[in-house]
Amino acid sequence: MTTEAVYLDYNASAPLRPEARTAMIAALEVDGNASSVHRCGRDARAVVEAAREEVAALVGAKPAEVIFTSGATESNNWFAAAGWDTVMLAPIEHDSLYAPVRNRAGKVIEFSVGKDGVADVSEVAGLTLLSNAELGCAAVSLQMANNETGACQPVAETAAFAREHGFFVHTDAVQAAGRLPINLAHLGVDALSLSAHKIGGPKGIGALVLRDGATLPSFVTGGGQERRRRAGTENVAAIAGFGAAARASTRDLATMSKIAALRDALEDGIKGVTPNTEIIAKDAPRLANTSCFVCAGKRAETLLIKLDLEGVAVSSGAACSSGKVGVSRALEAMALAPELAQSALRISIGHATTREDITLFLKAWKGIHRSDQIAA
Ligand code: PLP
């Protein structure tokens, strides 16, 4: 249960789904280590494998392609650490991918990003003009959808082209999972990162989905778990919660139009109160649950605190990097003026959001702006 009356920060972390809570409590009763051969071990193994099937189903993968990790930060770091000579990525990537790619030795080529928040992947073609000697072992990483703007990226097109030229292709599907239908084979990527807590599962568990036939050197070593691909005793309860959340998210894909209708009502309502609001990435294909907007002359931190005092939880930029007052890398890449970017708020909704939540947010929004007008 969240402490805020109105929780509109699903892209930071979605509330735990009841199904996930139930599955985790049941799994806590299972004492064995999933690697043990005795009955208790086999019980734990059964929980892990059932969850693996659900996570695989969410992204149209085979269960054996799912490797559990401690979260998408580990999955993204794993990809980044694979010894690439060249990595191509966009500056809109989450820090858990961008920082380790930039900090490693080796060449980095960055896609430019349009004003709509979509990476210009035609630049992948430029890579193929470079000689093999210049590129070495090359990889491309492109997120499916951006955590701040919701802008969806052309992953399938990029993957088709990149794989034709022998590049390894990774996608961070953290924000797209449960919000867009995903099929690993149709997407054509080699590896895909997932995080449980963005889909209503617990924090601290995720997966790297590695296409059958694709390989990456192990990142966490020293044990034979996950078919020798990721060492460490499986977190059975967290995995059970991830599986239950994945199952519920697969089911809820059919209700995305309701989420989109709530998001549209929210944006119309905001514009009704503050007509100078600009919706970011509104011309791009966007996640139905995400609204990032700027209001000239307002500071996001001030708005965020005022909303928090009204019991409404939203985010300014990426929650993972909040605390740092600075312009978001993603908004900067979209060439948004810094003074506008400083006013960017992100609202992200999901499975438990109601029309009442939107009404309460708009009431708070109206109240904040009315008192600002009186003070002015
Ligand atoms: N990738 C994206 C796009 C994210 O939004 C986040 C978290 O905000 C992560 C990766 C990191 O996921 P985790 O919290 O599971 O480490």
Side-chain angles (χ1 to χ4, degrees):
M1 189 63 64
T2 114
T3 50
E4 295 277 9
V6 182
Y7 185 80
L8 304 176
D9 202 10
Y10 278 60
N11 288 11
S13 196
L16 192 67
R17 289 177 182 266
E19 299 92 330
R21 180 179 289 109
T22 304
M24 289 174 77
I25 290 169
L28 285 171
E29 298 300 324
V30 180
D31 284 328
N33 181 320
S35 299
S36 299
V37 291
H38 49 62
R39 180 188 296 260
C40 295
R42 293 199 307 275
D43 288 349
R45 171 62 49 207
V47 172
V48 169
E49 296 314 317
R52 198 187 306 280
E53 286 185 16
E54 301 294 359
V55 173
L58 178 66
V59 295
K62 298 177 206 150
E65 293 174 318
V66 174
I67 308 165
F68 290 115
T69 63
S70 64
T73 296
E74 180 187 322
S75 306
N76 285 345
N77 271 257
W78 184 358
F79 159 74
W84 311 113
D85 297 309
T86 307
V87 177
M88 192 169 203
L89 85 176
I92 52 175
E93 294 294 337
H94 190 263
D95 262 348
S96 60
L97 183 88
Y98 189 78
V101 166
R102 292 253 45 147
N103 292 340
R104 67 191 233 299
K107 196 193 286 279
V108 178
I109 301 174
E110 290 202 6
F111 298 116
S112 56
V113 174
K115 283 194 181 314
D116 58 358
V118 179
D120 181 0
V121 292
S122 64
E123 293 170 15
V124 175
L127 252 189
T128 61
L129 300 177
L130 299 174
S131 68
N132 280 350
E134 269 177 289
L135 284 176
C137 184
V140 175
S141 186
L142 181 63
Q143 62 185 194
M144 283 195 73
N146 185 259
N147 45 304
E148 293 179 61
T149 64
C152 299
Q153 308 298 322
V155 175
E157 296 87 314
T158 310
F161 192 79
R163 279 191 53 200
E164 204 176 294
H165 289 85
F167 306 147
F168 187 97
V169 186
H170 167 262
T171 187
D172 177 340
V174 164
Q175 298 292 349
R179 296 171 186 154
L180 297 174
I182 303 178
N183 181 289
L184 185 76
H186 293 169
L187 207 53
V189 298
D190 295 297
L192 175 154
S193 298
L194 290 175
S195 173
H197 72 106
K198 310 290 184 174
I199 61 166
K203 299 166 188 76
I205 186 78
L208 186 76
V209 183
L210 190 60
R211 178 183 62 78
D212 201 4
T215 51
L216 280 181
S218 289
F219 182 57
V220 178
T221 57
Q225 291 87 356
E226 299 296 281
R227 297 172 181 230
R228 309 208 69 79
R229 294 170 298 183
R230 197 277 185 184
T233 302
E234 290 91 344
N235 184 344
V236 177
I239 289 172
F242 189 9
R247 184 190 181 91
S249 300
T250 305
R251 177 200 66 208
D252 286 357
L253 276 172
T255 64
M256 267 304 126
S257 56
K258 278 198 207 144
I259 302 274
L262 288 178
R263 195 268 315 268
D264 292 347
L266 173 93
E267 291 184 346
D268 288 347
I270 291 171
K271 278 188 156 276
V273 179
T274 44
N276 66 338
T277 300
E278 190 189 325
I279 310 291
I280 303 297
K282 74 170 186 316
D283 298 328
R286 250 195 317 159
L287 290 179
N289 82 313
T290 305
S291 181
C292 180
F293 53 92
V294 292
C295 256
K298 306 277 179 193
R299 279 195 72 84
E301 284 73 28
T302 313
L303 291 170
L304 196 144
I305 291 164
K306 287 183 176 176
L307 286 166
D308 190 39
L309 290 171
E310 299 292 324
V312 179
V314 303
S315 171
S316 64
C320 297
S321 57
S322 72
K324 121 192 147 193
V325 181
V327 173
S328 110
R329 185 160 25 78
L331 299 182
E332 207 169 33
M334 293 167 70
L336 199 71
E339 56 287 3
L340 268 186
Q342 300 234 349
S343 77
L345 279 186
R346 177 191 69 189
I347 291 182
S348 48
I349 60 177
H351 61 88
T353 309
T354 61
R355 199 155 275 276
E356 172 76 356
D357 290 328
I358 305 301
T359 307
L360 288 170
F361 167 82
L362 290 172
K363 197 167 157 226
W365 188 249
K366 206 180 275 177
I368 287 168
H369 289 88
R370 191 177 301 130
S371 55
D372 278 0
Q373 277 159 7
I374 293 166

